[in-house]
Amino acid sequence: MEDKAFVPQGLLPSYLAEIFGQLYDEDGLAVLGKGLQSDMLLASLVRFYADPEEGHYAEEETKKKDGKPPLVLVLGLHREAERTALLNILTSWGTPPEILPTILTNEAGQSKERAALYQQGGVFVITSRILIVDLLTATIDSIQIDGLLVAHAEQVTETSTEAFIIRIIQSQRQFQSSSSNSNEAAFVKAISESPEQVMSGFSKVDKILKALHVQRLYLYPRFHDSIREELEGRNPPKVIELHQELSPLQKEMQQAIAVALQTVIRKLKESKALANLTLLLDGEQFTVENLVTNPLDQALSRNLEHDWHRLSPETKQLIQDLRTLRTLFQNLLTYDCVSFYKLLLSIQSMSAASRHPSMWLLTPAADVLFRKAKERLFTLHRPLPTKQVPNPVLKCQPVLEESPKWRLLRTVLSEIREKFEKEVADRAAGPTNILVLVKDDRTMAAVKDYLVQGNRALLFRWLRFLEQQNDRSRSITVNGGVETLSEESRVLLEEESRCRRILFGDQSKRKRRQNAPINHIPNFVRKRRRITREKARGEATMQTEDLERNAVLDEAVDLAEHDDSNDLEYEASPLNTQDDHFTLSFPDELRIVLKSYASLDQPSLLLQDLSPRYVLFYDTDITFVRAVEIHAALSDVQIEVYFLMFQASAEDKIFMKSLEREQNTFERLINHKKMMSPPALHCATTTQEMQHALAQGSLGGTYMGGSLPLAFDSRKGRKANEEKRDIAVDVREFRSVLPSILHQGGMRLAPVTLIVGDFVLSSVHCVERKSISDLFGSFASGRLYTQVESMVKYYKVPCLLIEFDPAKSFCLQNASEIGVEIRSDSICSKICLLTMHFPQLRILWSKSPHDTLKIFKDLKKNHDEVDVERAMEIGRNELEDSFFESSSESDEINEVARDMLLRLPGVNIHSARKIMQNCDCLAELCDMSRDELRRVAGPVTGQKLFTFFRQKMSAANI
């Protein structure tokens, strides 16, 4: 493929044009290395299929008879930031607004409006849930769809919604084109930038290709010839690696953490609680270095998921200690001395209060770690006695050791400024930008404080630490006086006063914050605990002590990172501060811009806007490193790149391991590609029911608007297969994988909005499906009681389906927590109470969605097919009654006006309640503008009301 004019010259690397040509010529899956700008590739494909003059539609052989542009759907952009990034890239290329892709989310209106948009053609960025519902309800016909662009293809599995969509589209097109003896399938072009996820698991890449209905696999690692020539041959950046040694205290602390890790690993091997655990720990990869560079503690927990309830509390705590020590390894390099010591103290205090304290805290290595961390912060010394002072008192000497990388950053910035001042003649017009990249917003704030205020920033943190540490001491002195304090506590109280005088002076009006109670729990910790409880719901294999064990580290990190900067009166700084970055400008137009990776969704656009002359990687990130390489290759300006890394540290090892891991993954993919056979797509292009209909030779009967066939034999006047297969499914359930598995198993799905239940199998069976996490949440909120009450009211056989995750153990609650008494914190007790209140309720236990399919088939036997219309109407009257009851409680309700409001076009119970809250009468509603109606009633209902109120009445129709 030649370079397309729809992408401005110099904005798209040549290797992306090569991948573009291969994908255009033949459908397939393109796997790129991290940071090689797959978003640019997706944007170029979108622009090509949307451009009527220079794109796909402009080619004469691709024009349709009706003159409409091709209908192309973009899947896989689940986050709003990703959809916005795609639009920003296209806009930066000068794409006309009329051919920008249309975003279809849950706010895209009703099915009629979407059907009208589909008829016009074009490119649509659509969520998977909306598209699958539109396909099953015939809002969009598969024959209209020309192709699909799939982002994040590594997430496509056999049971994913994207695979469900592709299976339906290709099978419908095959069925509808069989009469014309043609088998033109919709094109599928998939992109992935996560080679490790593509290769993880058994034959994962083959399964992805089969689910995507493509046969070609395109691999583009960083060492690909075209990429290497592009990035290293044209204008490579000047790279300067600066390896900073750790401070002597940091080295000793790092060594102490490594010794503690070795102790924990040895204890785990000695426990030998399970044969599976022993095999995992005896592997060569379970070393200290691999634990630091890889989250092996998470892998260990996943492998022990099925046997977690059989492990002893000591073994569980040892596995948690691996995570804690790995976190300390990383935070030693990123935290300042105050925050790291606060983290250690928080871990120590919380572990002591838990049921099973961490064993590594009792080792000599932990003693060394705490002692050296304290020495980085302050030292206590007693002067030698003299004749004048025979009994000298203990004194506190603040050390406040700053991070060595901070000094290195300041040195590099100073050298750049000196170089900038010397290059007056060669200086380009406009400001020269220095881009400093850090890991997260917290690191950015710390670097900013150091660059602006120097050591004064650490003094503020030191004062905050003293205030927190001395709260308990002040509470003791209220009753017993200063004499009751230990000598160290008394010295820290004196140091707090001295530090405050240094920062604010003797005449400072600043007041010390109010003393907190001894056992006071901060609000942010309360919030953390609520979040932990919500996340823990559904973790059936975890006991109460497991939840406490996991929360210790999270709360400790929160306490260390929580910065009550509002309590400290910082001096005004010359920084232009924003939410995600800030800029420091010097008078001579040398600008320092700090950015965090956490706030970067479009690194290429940031580099394009800033055009930095210098890029400083305070923290390394492989994605942004390659973005800088690509920007330098497309730019005419020589870019200097500085890597600031700690020598012989976990930081250096993590970055090198990530590069090594990606290279090994691509090498395995290349070898796998040589040996793998193309997926047999003909076995998956038709659904079960279509294969049966083709075998019987009966294709006359259809359902869902004639798009899918029924296995109906007109000569015998009866169905060829007596198996009952119709199921009414609530549209909200399409977020799960169960509808895809039901359809794959031969079930015919009718996506509708159900008031009662999630699945209606027949006139007597209604099923409320609950995953384990949803089950815990529904019991806590009381929602499940209301749902079961409605099912019992309208259906003879109400069913509660409890569906487990197949990757976890088939265990609702640990056996040791099941008692003989009813307890409010026991899930089994809650289920017993539910069945006592509703004896008609049937509970269905399913190990996986595939088992749910078998259960549904068994339940549908010997029963009539579901009446979809009746299932939709059930519960609506009750909803209206509740609306009337709630509205009648208010004073002076005009019932006639309320009934008239419900009969206006587009108004339902939910929108009517919102309208009544914003409008006092119908006249006020009629006088509203279009924007006001959309704000009050929603975009679709508001437009309907605006048209209805202003539609002319014709006397001829009366």
Side-chain angles (χ1 to χ4, degrees):
M1 287 288 295
E2 298 179 356
D3 292 345
K4 295 296 177 181
F6 52 81
V7 179
Q9 186 70 24
L11 294 182
L12 191 68
S14 59
Y15 71 86
L16 286 184
E18 178 183 339
I19 306 174
F20 177 95
Q22 289 189 330
L23 279 177
Y24 180 75
D25 293 336
E26 187 174 358
D27 294 353
L29 167 62
V31 182
L32 286 73
K34 289 182 180 179
L36 293 181
Q37 297 192 347
S38 61
D39 53 350
M40 288 281 192
L41 177 60
L42 178 64
S44 62
L45 288 167
V46 169
R47 176 67 188 269
F48 179 70
Y49 285 105
D51 199 323
E53 297 180 358
E54 300 173 347
H56 173 78
Y57 181 63
E59 299 184 8
E60 196 66 32
E61 65 272 16
T62 64
K63 286 188 178 181
K64 296 185 178 181
K65 295 181 180 180
D66 53 9
K68 293 191 300 184
L71 177 60
V72 179
L73 306 176
V74 181
L75 300 176
L77 300 181
H78 303 296
R79 297 189 297 116
E80 180 65 28
E82 294 175 335
R83 297 189 284 266
T84 304
L86 176 63
L87 294 179
N88 291 340
I89 292 174
L90 292 171
T91 304
S92 68
W93 289 350
T95 306
E98 59 271 13
I99 65 173
L100 286 175
T102 304
I103 308 295
L104 293 182
T105 59
N106 55 355
E107 300 177 357
Q110 303 297 324
S111 57
K112 293 182 180 179
E113 286 79 6
R114 293 198 300 271
L117 291 174
Y118 295 143
Q119 291 292 336
Q120 299 173 6
V123 180
F124 294 85
V125 179
I126 187 171
T127 60
S128 302
R129 189 179 70 87
I130 290 180
L131 181 55
I132 188 61
V133 172
D134 287 347
L135 283 170
L136 292 175
T137 56
T139 301
I140 181 174
D141 192 356
S142 296
I143 206 68
Q144 299 176 255
I145 302 174
D146 291 271
L148 299 169
L149 303 177
V150 183
H152 298 294
E154 71 278 356
Q155 300 177 2
V156 178
T157 61
E158 186 181 6
T159 58
S160 63
T161 308
E162 289 81 7
F164 190 8
I165 290 169
I166 297 173
R167 184 171 68 245
I168 286 183
I169 291 175
Q170 304 294 34
S171 60
Q172 287 185 6
R173 290 179 69 94
Q174 180 183 3
F175 164 65
Q176 295 182 5
S177 62
S178 59
S179 58
S180 59
N181 296 325
S182 63
N183 188 20
E184 182 181 355
F187 69 77
V188 178
K189 306 185 187 305
I191 304 171
S192 174
E193 207 176 85
S194 301
E196 295 176 22
Q197 294 188 39
V198 171
M199 199 59 188
S200 64
F202 179 73
S203 299
K204 177 74 176 292
V205 63
D206 302 85
K207 295 176 182 177
I208 294 177
L209 292 174
K210 187 174 181 180
L212 291 169
H213 285 66
V214 297
Q215 294 185 334
R216 299 287 295 174
L217 177 63
Y218 305 106
L219 302 177
Y220 280 84
R222 172 62 179 81
F223 55 84
H224 193 279
D225 289 341
S226 59
I227 299 177
R228 189 174 65 251
E229 293 174 1
E230 173 85 10
L231 302 184
E232 299 178 7
R234 295 180 58 180
N235 185 25
K238 181 181 178 181
V239 179
I240 302 172
E241 293 187 11
L242 301 175
H243 294 270
Q244 173 68 44
E245 286 190 359
L246 296 172
S247 67
L249 289 175
Q250 281 182 313
K251 289 181 180 179
E252 295 184 54
M253 294 167 64
Q254 184 173 261
Q255 182 63 28
I257 298 174
V259 172
L261 263 174
Q262 292 174 347
T263 303
V264 172
I265 294 174
R266 187 177 66 253
K267 291 285 186 182
L268 276 172
K269 291 181 178 180
E270 291 175 355
S271 65
K272 294 184 179 180
L274 292 171
N276 189 22
L277 176 62
T278 305
L279 291 175
L280 291 171
L281 295 175
D282 289 341
E284 295 181 358
Q285 63 175 0
F286 212 82
T287 61
V288 173
E289 180 178 348
N290 288 334
L291 270 172
V292 175
T293 57
N294 297 320
L296 291 184
D297 56 301
Q298 299 177 11
L300 185 62
S301 299
R302 284 195 301 268
N303 288 325
L304 295 173
E305 194 92 48
H306 290 278
D307 299 315
W308 187 258
H309 59 284
R310 297 170 54 194
L311 297 176
S312 64
E314 292 76 14
T315 304
K316 294 178 182 178
Q317 183 59 52
L318 288 173
I319 296 175
Q320 178 62 28
D321 290 344
L322 293 178
R323 174 178 172 237
T324 302
L325 291 170
R326 181 170 58 86
T327 304
L328 290 177
F329 237 121
Q330 298 172 357
N331 292 345
L332 175 62
L333 307 180
T334 58
Y335 280 20
D336 58 82
C337 59
V338 180
S339 299
F340 188 78
Y341 189 58
K342 285 174 60 178
L343 175 62
L344 288 178
L345 294 179
S346 300
I347 291 175
Q348 185 183 46
S349 61
M350 292 182 179
S351 176
S354 63
R355 302 185 187 182
H356 301 282
S358 298
M359 301 303 296
W360 72 271
L361 291 172
L362 306 178
T363 61
D367 182 62
V368 173
L369 177 63
F370 276 82
R371 189 172 67 253
K372 297 302 177 182
K374 185 176 180 180
E375 290 178 8
R376 290 184 69 202
L377 192 58
F378 67 95
T379 59
L380 298 174
H381 69 282
R382 191 185 304 274
L384 295 175
T386 61
K387 293 182 178 180
Q388 293 78 11
V389 185
N391 297 315
V393 297
L394 192 68
K395 292 185 178 181
C396 175
Q397 178 64 42
V399 179
L400 301 181
E401 180 184 75
E402 63 183 32
S403 174
K405 192 184 283 190
W406 290 356
R407 295 194 299 270
L408 178 62
L409 175 62
R410 182 182 287 274
T411 302
V412 173
L413 291 176
S414 300
E415 293 178 356
I416 292 176
R417 185 169 185 177
E418 293 176 2
K419 186 189 302 184
F420 175 79
E421 293 173 350
K422 293 178 182 179
E423 298 175 350
V424 179
D426 300 333
R427 188 182 303 171
T432 300
N433 293 323
I434 305 174
L435 180 60
V436 182
L437 296 162
V438 299
K439 181 176 64 173
D440 50 28
D441 295 337
R442 185 187 179 282
T443 306
M444 185 175 66
V447 172
K448 181 261 296 186
D449 291 341
Y450 177 76
L451 291 178
V452 175
Q453 301 181 10
N455 291 330
R456 188 177 177 84
L458 270 180
L459 276 177
F460 277 112
R461 296 177 186 271
W462 169 236
L463 175 60
R464 184 73 177 103
F465 171 77
L466 289 174
E467 289 179 345
Q468 292 175 344
Q469 291 296 112
N470 292 333
D471 278 342
R472 181 177 293 273
S473 300
R474 275 187 284 267
S475 301
I476 296 175
T477 56
V478 172
N479 299 324
V482 182
E483 293 77 11
T484 59
L485 294 177
S486 64
E487 194 172 11
E488 181 176 345
S489 299
R490 179 183 53 78
V491 169
L492 291 180
L493 271 174
E494 296 174 355
E495 175 62 24
E496 179 185 340
S497 302
R498 190 183 71 85
C499 183
R500 187 176 291 107
R501 287 194 302 271
I502 293 175
L503 288 173
F504 306 106
D506 295 333
Q507 304 300 324
S508 174
K509 297 181 180 180
R510 180 184 183 274
K511 297 181 180 179
R512 182 176 51 81
R513 65 182 182 89
Q514 185 178 1
N515 292 350
I518 293 180
N519 296 322
H520 173 69
I521 301 177
N523 291 330
F524 69 92
V525 175
R526 298 178 187 271
K527 181 179 179 181
R528 155 66 64 184
R529 292 180 179 178
R530 287 196 300 269
I531 294 174
T532 302
R533 285 195 297 268
E534 290 296 327
K535 289 182 177 180
R537 284 172 179 167
E539 296 292 341
T541 58
M542 299 182 69
Q543 302 181 13
T544 305
E545 63 228 30
D546 295 333
L547 306 181
E548 296 176 357
R549 187 182 297 114
N550 291 340
V552 168
L553 179 61
D554 296 332
E555 287 191 16
V557 172
D558 274 356
L559 285 170
E561 293 185 352
H562 187 69
D563 183 15
D564 292 335
S565 57
N566 294 330
D567 294 341
L568 301 177
E569 296 179 1
Y570 287 98
E571 298 177 355
S573 65
L575 278 160
N576 177 19
T577 305
Q578 298 184 14
D579 291 337
D580 57 352
H581 75 283
F582 49 85
T583 305
L584 180 60
S585 300
F586 293 108
D588 49 2
E589 295 301 320
L590 182 64
R591 295 197 309 175
I592 302 175
V593 181
L594 283 88
K595 259 294 197 180
S596 65
Y597 298 127
S599 62
L600 283 176
D601 290 317
Q602 308 156 17
S604 58
L605 294 184
L606 173 68
L607 293 171
Q608 182 180 335
D609 293 339
L610 290 178
S611 297
R613 175 73 184 278
Y614 306 93
V615 178
L616 276 64
F617 284 96
Y618 185 87
D619 296 303
T620 53
D621 181 81
I622 186 172
T623 300
F624 211 94
V625 168
R626 289 173 178 171
V628 172
E629 283 187 297
I630 295 171
H631 176 75
L634 299 175
S635 175
D636 297 330
V637 179
Q638 179 74 29
I639 299 177
E640 293 187 16
V641 178
Y642 292 82
F643 285 93
L644 281 61
M645 305 180 73
F646 281 113
Q647 185 178 1
S649 65
E651 183 183 41
D652 189 14
K653 295 181 184 299
I654 290 174
F655 180 67
M656 298 307 297
K657 272 287 184 180
S658 62
L659 295 176
E660 180 184 349
R661 197 159 49 241
E662 184 187 90
Q663 181 173 350
N664 293 338
T665 301
F666 268 112
E667 290 175 355
R668 290 165 52 206
L669 275 171
I670 293 171
N671 294 330
H672 182 77
K673 182 180 178 181
K674 294 177 182 178
M675 298 181 291
M676 76 175 187
S677 58
L681 301 182
H682 62 276
C683 298
T685 53
T686 57
T687 59
Q688 234 179 27
E689 56 190 2
M690 289 186 181
Q691 294 174 13
H692 184 79
L694 291 170
Q696 295 292 326
S698 54
L699 294 172
T702 60
Y703 82 106
M704 286 298 169
S707 60
L708 295 179
L710 290 171
F712 185 86
D713 189 348
S714 60
R715 294 170 298 178
K716 297 181 181 179
R718 63 179 180 86
K719 290 185 178 180
N721 190 354
E722 293 294 339
E723 184 182 12
K724 305 296 191 303
R725 293 183 289 171
D726 290 344
I727 298 178
V729 185
D730 188 76
V731 292
R732 293 176 287 267
E733 287 300 310
F734 281 91
R735 297 187 181 97
S736 65
V737 301
L738 182 56
S740 175
I741 293 175
L742 292 177
H743 183 271
Q744 199 172 14
M747 296 290 105
R748 291 188 299 235
L749 309 181
V752 292
T753 302
L754 296 178
I755 305 299
V756 179
D758 294 329
F759 299 87
V760 180
L761 309 182
S762 64
S763 58
V764 297
H765 291 98
C766 179
V767 179
E768 181 70 31
R769 173 187 167 272
K770 295 294 181 184
S771 62
I772 300 302
S773 58
D774 193 18
L775 179 68
F776 279 75
S778 298
F779 269 122
S781 64
R783 187 174 71 251
L784 182 59
Y785 183 91
T786 305
Q787 293 169 337
V788 173
E789 188 178 31
S790 300
M791 288 195 299
V792 171
K793 182 177 180 180
Y794 292 104
Y795 290 95
K796 185 178 180 180
V797 186
C799 302
L800 172 62
L801 171 66
I802 301 177
E803 192 174 80
F804 287 77
D805 187 347
K808 298 182 180 180
S809 62
F810 188 47
C811 174
L812 183 63
Q813 190 174 9
N814 199 294
S816 61
E817 291 193 340
I818 301 177
V820 295
E821 298 179 355
I822 297 294
R823 303 203 326 263
S824 60
D825 60 342
S826 172
I827 187 65
C828 292
S829 298
K830 294 178 180 179
I831 293 178
C832 291
L833 291 174
L834 186 67
T835 53
M836 290 171 62
H837 281 86
F838 303 103
Q840 309 97 309
L841 181 65
R842 301 293 182 266
I843 298 181
L844 309 175
W845 303 88
S846 175
K847 289 184 177 180
S848 66
H850 290 90
D851 286 337
T852 303
L853 171 63
K854 299 177 183 178
I855 294 173
F856 281 7
K857 286 185 175 182
D858 292 338
L859 289 177
K860 288 183 65 63
K861 291 179 180 178
N862 304 323
H863 289 89
D864 296 334
E865 289 286 17
V866 59
D867 187 346
V868 179
E869 296 296 333
R870 180 178 177 275
M872 293 174 58
E873 291 299 325
I874 286 178
R876 292 192 180 276
N877 293 333
E878 182 180 355
L879 191 62
E880 292 184 4
D881 292 341
S882 64
F883 170 69
F884 292 147
E885 290 175 3
S886 62
S887 60
S888 63
E889 294 176 358
S890 303
D891 297 333
E892 300 180 0
I893 288 294
N894 188 339
E895 296 183 1
V896 177
R898 182 188 61 191
D899 296 341
M900 184 179 295
L901 175 63
L902 288 172
R903 284 160 178 77
L904 293 178
V907 178
N908 54 26
I909 301 297
H910 303 288
S911 57
R913 185 177 285 111
K914 189 175 181 180
I915 291 173
M916 292 178 64
Q917 293 173 354
N918 291 273
C919 301
D920 294 331
C921 60
L922 289 176
E924 183 181 353
L925 181 66
C926 296
D927 292 337
M928 284 186 172
S929 63
R930 188 198 307 266
D931 294 337
E932 290 174 336
L933 285 172
R934 287 181 173 179
R935 178 182 57 82
V936 171
V940 178
T941 304
Q943 179 62 40
K944 288 182 178 180
L945 290 175
F946 182 81
T947 305
F948 174 75
F949 289 147
R950 286 153 182 80
Q951 189 174 9
K952 294 183 178 180
M953 295 171 48
S954 175
N957 296 332
I958 300 178

